[in-house]
Amino acid sequence: MPVEFPRNERAERVIARLEAQGYDACAVGGCVRDALLGRRPHDWDIGTSARPEETLRCFADCMVLETGIRHGTVTVVLEGEPIEVTTYRTETGYADGRHPDRVAFVRRLEDDLARRDFTINAMAWHPARGLTDRFGGREDLAAGRIRCVGDPARRFREDALRILRGLRFAAVCGFTVEPQTARAMREEQGGLRSVAAERVNAELSRLLTGSDAARVLREFADLLAGVLPEIAPMRGFAQNNPHHCWDVWEHTLHALQVSAPDSAVRWTLLFHDSGKPPTYREDEKGIGHFPGHPAVSERLADQAMRRLKFDTGTRERIDRLVKLHDIPAENDPRFVRRWLNRLGEGDFRRLLEVKRADTLAQAPAYRPPRLAMLDGLEATLESVLQQQDCFRLKDLAVNGRDLLAAGLPEGPAVGRTLRFLLDGVIDGRLPNKKEALLAALRESGPGRRGAE
Ligand code: ATP
Ligand code: MG
């Protein structure tokens, strides 16, 4: 059956050049999957029977990068765009469950396809020959199914990261995991202990931002708790509180499901209520409360992110959003300016997104007034930004030099005074006008703020 396939001129040129020298070549892997799904592949990978040094000879007149050459990959730069050309290969050994002991270059495409993880990733496409699909990848794509190439348990023992890759594809593509593959994922999950934290982190982040993340987290919570033990206590933890209609884990999943697919927002929501189980208290009426849970959630989030080797900036950003997720919000320009000052626009918007998702996952009766308040708050945010209200030191109508000129002694007092004036402007007590600010300073007494 002919297959509709988007043409890619650069990929076809690379293939033609290799073939002209007598080698076999075609597009392989993720780009074939994405093209068949009607998604634009973010990069085209070319597989070839040419050995790396032979590939180099074919592209002697082009700019090439040899960074991956040990594994058979030569990156050819065509019109400023890189395209990876990888020699067909098999991998054997995997004594450590992550790295093949031996990579062997082979001449046959079929042998290369057999080492790939899932059927949907094990197809090749050639401009004249069309699709090569030895493992039923096309049928699995059509059925929305993640299935291993070959014996799933063996494939996961070779490289346990494939377990998380499979769940990531399920979440991103909205696919289900074929039962035998799912069973093997569970049986072989212990292998994830030996996978580098950074690789686990990267797959989890992509899983979380998938459109179907909540479904995959729900179905594979037991497995995922192996790499994220912080989620385990949330599962089935009843809240016994009229604001909530779901247990902590279901609430978390509902919030994730309705939130924007932003990695920091999704990680924040995953952890935002993780501090509820350890802080649970019941009052005399049997109603559940979670005093101080945001701080405990923050600690758990921080612990998980350190283990997963998040970069410091991302970890601190998510810690902060987790800690703040429950702060009382007000539809008031002063509130907006204060939080813009503390978080910056990007993270303030993320905080509002977290609050909206959190609200949408609460008991229906409590949602409308909170959502209306958040709508109003967002409108206020837009107007504060549009009017270019002052909320940063650099927007303030006076600077350090002005204060020195007004007689303030050099030293830490200058910074403190600027902060005092900025707070006055943010809170609407002072206008952001140079004369008015200097006058306010004089009124508060010469050098007084400096003396504090
Ligand atoms: P994306 O680029 O969107 O992450 P991808 O499937 O292209 O998805 P890559 O990491 O670019 O993922 O890998 C390209 C191809 O290499 C895959 O489609 C798959 O065929 C193969 N592959 C990648 N990682 C593995 C692995 N751990 N085990 C087996 N095959 C793999
Ligand atoms: Mg890819």
Side-chain angles (χ1 to χ4, degrees):
M1 205 199 312
V3 179
E4 283 281 324
F5 213 84
R7 309 293 296 248
N8 184 277
E9 206 257 323
R10 284 185 314 117
E12 292 184 21
R13 261 171 55 204
V14 171
I15 291 170
R17 168 100 59 124
L18 287 157
E19 287 184 326
Q21 300 300 314
Y23 302 111
D24 183 46
C26 52
V28 278
C31 59
V32 180
R33 174 199 68 222
D34 289 345
L36 289 174
L37 280 172
R39 302 180 181 187
R40 240 175 75 95
H42 50 79
D43 41 38
W44 286 81
D45 295 327
I46 306 301
T48 183
S49 61
R51 301 289 147 99
E53 62 281 2
E54 295 168 333
T55 302
L56 285 177
R57 274 202 294 278
C58 286
F59 295 94
D61 59 331
C62 299
M63 180 179 165
V64 290
L65 309 170
E66 298 182 29
T67 35
I69 203 158
R70 272 192 33 229
H71 303 104
T73 301
V74 170
T75 304
V76 179
V77 183
L78 283 185
E79 292 145 18
E81 296 270 337
I83 179 161
E84 289 193 350
V85 182
T86 305
T87 303
Y88 298 150
R89 60 177 204 223
T90 57
E91 296 166 354
T92 46
Y94 293 100
D96 63 355
R98 343 178 226 183
H99 304 298
D101 297 338
R102 205 160 52 83
V103 173
F105 296 138
V106 294
R107 293 287 184 185
R108 281 165 26 104
L109 167 66
E110 278 69 18
D111 298 328
D112 178 272
L113 294 179
R115 67 148 174 113
R116 294 174 182 269
D117 47 9
F118 302 106
T119 61
I120 60 168
N121 289 342
M123 291 182 278
W125 178 80
H126 182 277
R129 292 197 303 273
L131 197 68
T132 303
D133 176 19
R134 273 191 51 193
F135 305 103
R138 210 173 151 210
E139 195 187 318
D140 285 338
L141 260 192
R145 198 158 48 211
I146 304 295
R147 188 158 59 91
C148 277
V149 170
D151 171 30
R154 212 187 109 211
R155 302 314 308 278
F156 295 140
R157 275 197 293 277
E158 288 171 354
D159 177 5
L161 183 74
R162 291 172 184 157
I163 296 170
L164 296 183
R165 279 176 56 86
L167 297 183
R168 183 251 289 188
F169 290 121
V172 169
C173 304
F175 285 9
T176 57
V177 183
E178 174 275 328
Q180 277 195 40
T181 299
R183 186 168 347 114
M185 281 177 169
R186 294 197 158 88
E187 285 167 8
E188 300 301 328
Q189 59 172 296
L192 284 168
R193 278 195 292 274
S194 56
V195 176
E198 293 85 348
R199 299 176 80 202
V200 171
N201 174 353
E203 291 302 334
L204 290 176
S205 291
R206 296 182 74 176
L207 189 165
L208 277 180
T209 48
S211 56
D212 236 1
R215 179 182 54 84
V216 172
L217 286 168
R218 181 179 292 115
E219 189 179 341
F220 291 93
D222 55 333
L223 190 168
L224 290 165
V227 281
L228 285 169
E230 291 78 9
I231 66 179
M234 292 193 264
R235 295 175 67 204
F237 197 94
Q239 309 213 50
N240 300 324
N241 185 300
H243 289 268
H244 285 281
C245 50
W246 288 302
D247 66 47
V248 177
W249 181 235
E250 270 304 314
H251 161 75
T252 300
L253 296 181
H254 278 82
L256 262 163
Q257 187 57 47
V258 296
S259 66
D262 172 273
S263 174
V265 166
R266 294 273 171 105
W267 277 108
T268 300
L269 285 168
L270 183 69
F271 292 126
H272 80 290
D273 277 353
S274 59
K276 278 189 168 179
T279 55
Y280 184 75
R281 303 277 178 282
E282 243 169 56
D283 65 21
E284 59 286 355
K285 297 197 197 86
I287 293 177
H289 301 278
F290 310 91
H293 80 271
V296 179
S297 300
E298 183 199 5
R299 217 182 54 230
L300 290 166
D302 191 76
Q303 161 191 310
M305 290 188 287
R306 282 178 192 274
R307 195 179 57 243
L308 293 172
K309 301 220 163 59
F310 276 60
D311 67 87
T312 308
T314 306
R315 174 169 50 77
E316 288 176 353
R317 138 176 303 149
I318 294 167
D319 278 349
R320 198 153 52 152
L321 291 169
V322 170
K323 182 175 71 184
L324 295 174
H325 80 268
D326 216 20
I327 55 157
E330 291 162 64
N331 177 14
D332 180 324
R334 287 173 298 186
F335 175 87
V336 169
R337 290 191 294 258
R338 224 172 284 148
W339 284 100
L340 278 173
N341 174 264
R342 284 180 210 174
L343 298 177
E345 183 187 338
D347 277 351
F348 185 51
R349 286 191 189 276
R350 288 192 182 90
L351 179 61
L352 296 181
E353 178 62 19
V354 165
K355 285 185 149 300
R356 177 179 300 279
D358 192 9
T359 303
L360 283 167
Q362 289 171 356
Y366 291 87
R367 294 176 204 166
R370 292 181 184 181
L371 292 173
M373 190 278 295
L374 286 170
D375 284 341
L377 210 168
E378 266 164 34
T380 305
L381 168 62
E382 300 310 331
S383 89
V384 161
L385 291 172
Q386 214 218 333
Q387 297 169 53
Q388 303 188 318
D389 279 11
C390 164
F391 58 84
R392 286 170 299 202
L393 273 184
K394 70 186 181 79
D395 307 325
L396 197 65
V398 296
N399 60 26
R401 248 173 294 123
D402 299 323
L403 298 189
L404 294 177
L408 215 74
E410 224 167 307
V414 175
R416 275 203 300 272
T417 307
L418 285 171
R419 183 72 229 184
F420 164 79
L421 294 174
L422 177 63
D423 286 342
V425 171
I426 284 175
D427 289 341
R429 285 182 277 109
L430 295 172
N432 190 24
K433 298 263 170 11
K434 187 168 174 177
E435 281 318 311
L437 292 173
L438 292 176
L441 200 59
R442 281 192 296 275
E443 271 162 39
S444 73
R448 221 190 87 192
R449 305 231 54 86
E452 278 172 5

